[in-house]
Amino acid sequence: MASPSPSDLLWIIGFTPQGQWIVPIVRAAVRAEWATAQQIARAQLGDEALARELMESAIARTHEYLADRLQATVDEARKILNIHYRNGVRRHKRVNSRLVLRGTGADLESLAPSPISSADRVDAHLDLDTILRDTPADMRYALLARYGARRRWDDVAAELSRSRDSLRMASKRELDRLRLKLGANKNGSKPGSR
């Protein structure tokens, strides 16, 4: 199929009184941008044939923009045309990249994670209390605030009236003690499991 000429693409403008000065400017802009438009369509959408449709839409929007003005240069028309064309490419990509799930609820249940039950939360809370039973209260608070609530060391240290570095080192020693107590080394594996 032969590539359309800029004149073929300008049918969208039609014959309007202000089109007399707009058509030659937009034709020159399309002539200058057409090769780039085809490359963009090929690279980003995978189909060079889409360039025609997207360019026609960009031409119509450029015409609407220029219709409110008394005059414009070819460079201004190129910039406006390029913006509208690239926006059209982005819209086309967004529309075609939407996720569509087809099937029944039973089909989707295997894809969705199972909800955490309140019993699991209670068990986790009891496990955490058991693990941290021998940990001093300030260290327990520091570990839970930092690793549970993802707070910054500076904030936790300020609340406990300690220096940031001393709190970090004390927390590291406590975590090492807990790993040893639970039978896990620093790599997360149990001793003797090599």
Side-chain angles (χ1 to χ4, degrees), residues 47-66:
D47 187 6
E48 190 175 303
L50 293 171
R52 180 184 176 116
E53 176 186 339
L54 294 170
M55 184 56 82
E56 287 176 352
S57 175
I59 290 169
R61 291 172 188 261
T62 302
H63 176 260
E64 289 173 13
Y65 177 82
L66 294 176

Side-chain angles (χ1 to χ4, degrees), residues 110-153:
S110 62
L111 299 175
S114 61
I116 298 173
S117 69
S118 59
D120 291 340
R121 287 189 195 118
V122 170
D123 288 344
H125 187 41
L126 291 174
D127 289 344
L128 194 57
D129 282 344
T130 305
I131 292 169
L132 297 176
R133 182 178 300 143
D134 299 333
T135 304
D138 61 336
M139 231 347 74
R140 180 186 295 202
Y141 177 79
L143 291 173
L144 292 174
R146 173 64 183 140
Y147 297 110
R150 300 264 185 209
R151 297 188 48 211
R152 294 183 16 213
W153 280 115

Side-chain angles (χ1 to χ4, degrees), residues 157 162-170:
R162 291 179 69 170
S163 74
R164 177 180 181 264
D165 293 331
S166 72
L167 184 61
R168 285 183 67 206
M169 288 309 295

Side-chain angles (χ1 to χ4, degrees), residues 13-24 63:
I13 291 178
F15 298 103
T16 60
Q18 70 269 29
Q20 292 175 357
W21 71 268
I22 294 176
V23 170
H63 176 260

Side-chain angles (χ1 to χ4, degrees), residues 2-3 14 18-19 25-26 33 52 59 64 69-70 93 100 102 116 118 128-129 136 138 142 146 148 160 174 184:
S3 180
Q18 70 269 29
I25 291 173
V26 174
E33 294 292 323
R52 180 184 176 116
I59 290 169
E64 289 173 13
R69 305 180 76 194
L70 296 177
K93 279 175 60 174
V100 177
R102 298 180 186 202
I116 298 173
S118 59
L128 194 57
D129 282 344
D138 61 336
R146 173 64 183 140
L160 295 175
E174 184 61 25

Side-chain angles (χ1 to χ4, degrees), residues 175-193:
L175 286 174
D176 289 343
R177 186 189 71 77
L178 290 171
R179 284 185 187 109
L180 187 62
K181 177 181 169 184
L182 294 172
N185 64 13
K186 290 183 182 180
N187 296 334
S189 61
K190 293 185 179 181
S193 63

